[in-house]
Amino acid sequence: MDIVNGLIRRRVACEQEIAEQERKIQEYERAYESLRRFDGAVDTAKSNFHNVNTVKLNRTSELSSITSRCRTAQLYLEGSQRTLNGFGAKIVGAAFTGLDVMIRLKLAEYRLKIQNCENRISSLERSIDSINSMIDTARILPGRRMRVGIRKKTFWKRTFAVFLASVCLWSAAGCTGAGTGMDREDEKVSTELTQRQRELLEEMGLPADYDKLTDTQKNAVTSIEAMLSYLESKYQEEFCYLSYAEAGTLEKEHLEAYPASGTPSDVVTVYRTYEDGEYHYEDDYGNIGVRPLYESRVREFAVQSFPESGIKVFSDIRNLGQGTDEQSVTEENVLQTASAVTYIFISESVCTEAQLRDFTEECAQWMESQCQGVAAQICLRLTDAAQWELIDATGYEDKLRADIFTAEAECAISASGKVTVY
């Protein structure tokens, strides 16, 4: 039930954020409508000014017939024409033009904010649908918490991923076999379980006897073994299993693991596809080495605004730029070559909500100047001081809960350089 309760809390958090996004939409729509009405009033005032100015010019033209006989009338006519046709009228006209431009820009900004809120709501609704499905599954097939060697996973995301893996072993349909250069018929012949497979099955409460496993259980545990073997053969070091997901409509078959010499936060993802009679693998192991460089640059920026003792920075490197490998990434170019999502947890002991709003704008400007060429996101969380102390690299994902935040904000930059503040 711990898993179900955790999922319910996530769903409630999503529902609360949807309500907040809907509130923002109403606020932006009111501001938009108010500004649109003001724009109409400005257009009317501009038209009235033009009409009045035209009438006055026409009136002065009536004096032209007597200016030749009256010096006073001539001087009045010249002064009026200078006023109505000259510098004063130009200033008023320029003021109307500038005001019109500002209104148009602000209206476009409100439309963009409304669109961003609607996109966020759609994303949250999809998350709720997914969470509801997970809750139904968890209630039918209770998950088993899995130990990895002597290490234990401490944050919800990885724990639930392990639960999904056990569900796959129990009931997944279509999980494929594994092995470099090994086709599916070859895999069906293998009837001996390795020691690691036996340990995995034992942890999941499944029989360690090959003949007692269902076909889907056999295929799943064989796939996990093959993908771990791929990593260990390629990098010549031991890896510990975290989670496994079969191929689906929206994602490739993949496995998550971490180096035995590291921690569970050093997640490596292996993707596997089946083409031309054999399996093909790809992984993101290189991201582990890039992450400290990325976090260092973000931390360097953040400490310009807050004491280092009051901030914690954790980055998730998503991918490297086209044609870039780990060896070519340096601390100087990492922001332009690595796409990442970074969380900055700021203790409320060193930051107020007003300061967070200012820092959010600074983040947007910094990303625009420093992160060109790749997509990136920075998530700011102003955190309860006591909760902030408990956050670390291996468990920060377990702290992404609304109840410990005083305030939050996000900045993102697209690969084309467009910056958005949420």
Side-chain angles (χ1 to χ4, degrees):
M1 292 304 295
D2 288 342
I3 291 176
V4 173
N5 291 336
L7 290 169
I8 291 174
R9 287 194 295 270
R10 285 176 58 195
R11 183 176 63 189
V12 170
C14 289
E15 291 169 345
Q16 290 174 341
E17 187 174 351
I18 286 176
E20 175 63 17
Q21 294 296 326
E22 290 174 341
R23 184 195 64 76
K24 288 182 179 180
I25 288 176
Q26 293 176 354
E27 177 183 325
Y28 295 145
E29 286 178 339
R30 287 194 297 269
Y32 180 91
E33 183 60 25
S34 175
L35 190 58
R36 191 186 62 79
R37 289 195 297 268
F38 177 68
D39 186 36
V42 170
D43 286 340
T44 300
K46 182 178 179 180
S47 177
N48 291 340
F49 171 78
H50 176 74
N51 292 337
V52 170
N53 206 47
T54 300
V55 170
K56 288 183 177 180
L57 280 171
N58 292 337
R59 293 288 176 84
T60 59
S61 65
E62 297 174 2
L63 297 173
S64 59
S65 62
I66 62 173
T67 54
S68 59
R69 299 189 301 274
C70 178
R71 179 59 179 167
T72 300
Q74 182 180 359
L75 292 173
Y76 179 79
L77 175 62
E78 291 174 353
S80 297
Q81 288 176 332
R82 282 196 299 271
T83 300
L84 297 173
N85 283 330
F87 189 65
K90 291 179 180 178
I91 289 177
V92 174
F96 275 119
T97 300
L99 184 59
D100 185 62
V101 171
M102 291 176 62
I103 290 173
R104 300 300 174 196
L105 291 174
K106 196 65 178 177
L107 287 172
E109 179 183 335
Y110 283 133
R111 286 195 296 270
L112 178 60
K113 286 183 176 181
I114 290 171
Q115 183 62 52
N116 287 337
C117 288
E118 290 175 343
N119 291 341
R120 181 59 177 160
I121 288 173
S122 296
S123 175
L124 289 166
E125 288 175 342
R126 289 194 297 272
S127 296
I128 288 174
D129 289 340
S130 177
I131 290 170
N132 285 337
S133 177
M134 293 176 183
I135 290 173
D136 291 341
T137 303
R139 282 171 172 164
I140 295 171
L141 294 172
R144 301 174 181 272
R145 188 174 185 86
M146 176 166 181
R147 300 186 304 277
V148 184
I150 60 172
R151 304 173 188 273
K152 181 175 287 189
K153 296 167 59 53
T154 59
F155 44 91
W156 70 262
K157 183 177 179 181
R158 304 302 175 201
T159 300
F160 189 70
V162 172
F163 161 73
L164 288 181
S166 65
V167 170
C168 179
L169 288 177
W170 280 91
S171 61
C175 289
T176 56
T180 304
M182 180 185 294
D183 64 24
R184 303 185 185 202
E185 292 302 322
D186 291 336
E187 288 184 340
K188 291 179 182 178
V189 176
S190 176
T191 60
E192 292 297 327
L193 296 173
T194 66
Q195 181 60 33
R196 177 156 52 195
Q197 289 172 331
R198 292 178 183 277
E199 292 174 356
L200 287 171
L201 292 168
E202 182 181 352
E203 292 290 346
M204 293 177 184
L206 296 174
D209 184 338
Y210 184 87
D211 293 333
K212 294 181 180 179
L213 299 175
T214 66
D215 288 341
T216 54
Q217 292 168 356
K218 294 173 183 176
N219 287 334
V221 75
T222 304
S223 297
I224 294 171
E225 171 71 15
M227 296 168 89
L228 287 171
S229 296
Y230 155 80
L231 282 175
E232 293 174 342
S233 174
K234 182 176 180 179
Y235 297 108
Q236 297 299 302
E237 63 175 305
E238 182 184 353
F239 284 81
C240 300
Y241 168 81
L242 285 175
S243 69
Y244 167 79
E246 63 173 328
T249 305
L250 301 178
E251 63 181 351
K252 297 179 182 178
E253 179 187 20
H254 64 275
L255 173 135
E256 290 184 334
Y258 68 93
S261 58
T263 70
S265 63
D266 298 325
V267 180
V268 180
T269 304
V270 183
Y271 294 94
R272 189 172 76 153
T273 56
Y274 187 79
E275 297 176 5
D276 302 325
E278 64 179 10
Y279 286 104
H280 301 270
Y281 298 81
E282 57 183 8
D283 65 83
D284 59 1
Y285 181 82
N287 293 352
I288 293 177
V290 172
R291 187 177 64 188
L293 301 178
Y294 201 98
E295 291 178 346
S296 174
R297 289 296 304 276
V298 177
R299 186 178 296 104
E300 180 182 296
F301 161 68
V303 297
Q304 296 176 21
S305 300
F306 306 106
E308 188 168 8
S309 59
I311 62 171
K312 294 181 180 180
V313 179
F314 307 109
S315 293
D316 179 8
I317 307 299
R318 298 301 173 86
N319 55 70
L320 302 181
Q322 188 69 29
T324 304
D325 55 27
E326 180 189 2
Q327 287 69 35
S328 61
V329 179
T330 65
E331 191 167 355
E332 288 70 29
N333 68 18
V334 66
L335 296 176
Q336 294 83 42
T337 55
S339 177
V341 175
T342 300
Y343 281 89
I344 303 179
F345 294 90
I346 309 172
S347 172
E348 62 180 4
S349 64
V350 300
C351 178
T352 64
E353 290 191 37
Q355 288 175 316
L356 183 73
R357 289 193 293 271
D358 292 340
F359 185 59
T360 301
E361 295 301 322
E362 293 173 10
C363 276
Q365 296 171 11
W366 180 77
M367 294 182 78
E368 186 173 22
S369 65
Q370 299 294 323
C371 303
Q372 290 291 334
V374 293
Q377 184 175 7
I378 292 181
C379 305
L380 305 175
R381 298 292 186 267
L382 182 59
T383 312
D384 173 80
Q387 290 287 345
W388 183 90
E389 294 289 347
L390 303 176
I391 298 172
D392 58 27
T394 60
Y396 77 90
E397 289 180 310
D398 193 34
K399 300 300 181 182
L400 301 182
R401 308 195 317 267
D403 60 326
I404 72 170
F405 303 137
T406 306
E408 58 184 304
E410 296 180 7
C411 303
I413 184 170
S414 66
S416 63
K418 179 183 177 181
V419 176
T420 305
V421 177
Y422 299 96

